Amino acid sequence: MQERMGNPALVLPAAMQALNALSKVPVETGLSPKLLELVNLRASQINGCSVCVDGHPRIAKKLGETDERLFAIGAWRDSPYFSDAERAALALTEAVTRISDRADPVPDDIWDEATRHYDGRSLAALVIAIANINVWNRLNIATRQIAGAWKP
């Protein structure tokens, strides 16, 4: 496979600046960088973004994430490695990423569970993080970016 063009965020530096600025908001709000990498990886798996599925585990490992948790992220519901708060974030990630899969894309039970673990600012930051990784996935997939070219 060959990429169709350079990543649009690299072609348009203002887009890169905006996306990078947006990606800093969740961490500045206090969300754990490790949690955010789990969110990034899970959304990227769902979307089939090979660039991000390749790159985000590398970032997570640098942050101290374990192989067990990275290997089990696709089966987080049935794995003993995740806290209730992480499970709530992963459920929200899946719902927000799969918005066309059901009539009520983010059901109240998923939202309510997230609100049990995250206050208003943290929840807003989590939704922004999920939206941002979905933007990156779509940019990479649309232009057929090559896994391994980005080495975080």
Side-chain angles (χ1 to χ4, degrees):
M1 179 170 26
Q2 184 175 347
E3 71 180 22
R4 290 178 167 149
M5 65 178 288
N7 188 300
L10 296 174
V11 173
L12 301 172
M16 179 64 89
Q17 290 173 334
L19 290 169
N20 281 338
L22 189 60
S23 73
K24 292 177 183 172
V25 170
V27 174
E28 291 169 355
T29 306
L31 288 181
S32 160
K34 284 171 64 173
L35 171 67
L36 293 170
E37 290 308 320
L38 295 176
V39 164
N40 290 340
L41 178 56
R42 186 63 192 124
S44 299
Q45 288 174 333
I46 292 166
N47 288 326
C49 179
S50 63
V51 171
C52 291
V53 168
D54 179 64
H56 286 287
R58 296 174 196 277
I59 298 169
K61 291 285 286 185
K62 289 177 185 176
L63 294 170
E65 192 54 82
T66 65
D67 286 338
E68 290 81 12
R69 286 165 47 94
L70 293 172
F71 297 154
I73 193 74
W76 61 266
R77 285 178 182 84
D78 301 317
S79 301
Y81 306 120
F82 304 98
S83 70
D84 289 343
E86 290 168 331
R87 290 175 191 282
L90 291 168
L92 186 62
T93 299
E94 289 184 358
V96 173
T97 299
R98 293 180 164 148
I99 56 175
S100 68
D101 287 357
R102 59 178 93 161
D104 183 9
V106 183
D108 288 340
D109 62 326
I110 290 174
W111 186 263
D112 293 345
E113 183 63 15
T115 64
R116 286 187 52 234
H117 300 281
Y118 302 96
D119 66 18
R121 287 179 52 79
S122 295
L123 189 54
L126 183 56
V127 171
I128 285 173
I130 296 165
N132 195 37
I133 191 59
N134 274 278
V135 168
W136 279 109
N137 291 165
R138 282 149 178 76
L139 293 173
N140 289 330
I141 292 166
T143 59
R144 291 189 180 153
Q145 298 302 298
I146 307 299
W150 173 54
K151 297 274 193 216

